[in-house]
Amino acid sequence: METAQQISSYKPASGTINYKRRSMMFRWIQRGVILLGSLAVLLVVLMPVAWLVSSSLQTEAEIVSVPPHWIPEEPTLRNFKAIFSAGSEEPITYETRSTQDTSSGNYIPSTARNLLPAMWNSFVVAVLVVILNLIVGIPAAYAMAKIRFRGRNGSVYFILTTRVIPDIALVVPFFLVIKNLGLLDNIASLVITYLAITVPFTVFILIQYFEGLPDELDKAARVDGCSRFQTLTKVFVPLSLPSLVAVILFAFLTSWNEFLLALMFTQTAQSQTLPIVLASFTSDFTISFSFINAAGLLAIVPPVIVAIIFERYIVSGLTAGAVKG
């Protein structure tokens, strides 16, 4: 009892080190550094997006003003209206440009009418690539993860090897194949080539996830009378939703953003995708910066919607298969 009272009444002598106080100060400093670092990263990531949104609502005179206006003084939807009405109005040309007010931002490129069809082409290609990725990748990954056969390990290594080759090295072989198939200037050429890029990644991700699921699930389903296909569709696919979301996001974003192959295989507005049309704006002499930013803002809407829909599965899907056991 006397010893407890002595301990409770103990006070550190003057000049001794207060370890508890030092530990608390260290934790507060650590939290402050993490907070400042997080704010700095958020600032770097969000500033371009914030400027994209702000400048798409500005006039041409305001967007080139110094200092720049982060908040539009007179916000306008003129650029978006121009995008959705492109084709119904006479485009501004070199001959008619001199009659326009240079500060009005009315300089709509002649290729603006191709923007919405290109966005539709990108959406169709991306959706087809996602669907075909799932149709091809899921059975392939299940077979390599749960069925033991000769050459299994070699098949997995071969799939990984295909992803080591840079896309630029595949342009010429792809071009020859597409030309012989007669699919140049057709969105089918993009679907085929994008599948060659995305399917190996899809199979690799799903193999890692399927291998993490117990083999007893496969055996139990087989004992209950399920075929291989039923085991896959009724047991493994429902349990693999996070990894499937990661695969969907990867295939969709890769197809949506791809530029090099689309530039090689498409020549006309009927088959060109969004990155090609957006890039063509920069070479148009009648271009408006605010119009380009409005078009860029529309380009990021579908990926953002897809990310919001699958937000709850993104983190778990991206780490699927990272830890085994």
Side-chain angles (χ1 to χ4, degrees), residues 129-142 195 199 202-203 206:
V129 170
V130 168
I131 294 174
L132 294 174
N133 256 275
L134 296 178
I135 293 175
V136 175
I138 292 176
Y142 171 74
L195 280 175
V199 165
T202 298
V203 174
L206 293 180

Side-chain angles (χ1 to χ4, degrees), residues 7 33 56 62-63 70 87 100 106 115 117 134 144 180 189 192 217 223 233 247 261 280 304 306 315 319 324:
I7 293 175
V33 171
S56 66
E62 192 174 4
I63 198 174
W70 283 93
Q100 301 295 318
N106 280 336
L115 184 64
L134 296 178
M144 293 184 182
N180 290 331
S189 63
I192 293 173
L217 289 174
V223 169
T233 56
V247 166
L261 297 175
S280 70
V304 170
V306 173
V315 175
T319 57
K324 295 182 179 180

Side-chain angles (χ1 to χ4, degrees), residues 127-194:
V127 171
L128 288 175
V129 170
V130 168
I131 294 174
L132 294 174
N133 256 275
L134 296 178
I135 293 175
V136 175
I138 292 176
Y142 171 74
M144 293 184 182
K146 295 300 177 185
I147 300 175
R148 301 294 179 257
F149 58 91
R150 183 175 298 177
R152 171 182 173 276
N153 292 333
S155 302
V156 175
Y157 292 137
F158 177 75
I159 290 174
L160 291 177
T161 304
T162 60
R163 292 310 309 133
V164 177
I165 303 173
D167 295 343
I168 187 67
L170 301 174
V171 168
V172 174
F174 277 154
F175 182 83
L176 295 176
V177 171
I178 296 301
K179 181 182 178 183
N180 290 331
L181 292 175
L183 294 177
L184 285 177
D185 201 23
N186 191 314
I187 62 172
S189 63
L190 302 181
V191 175
I192 293 173
T193 51
Y194 293 171

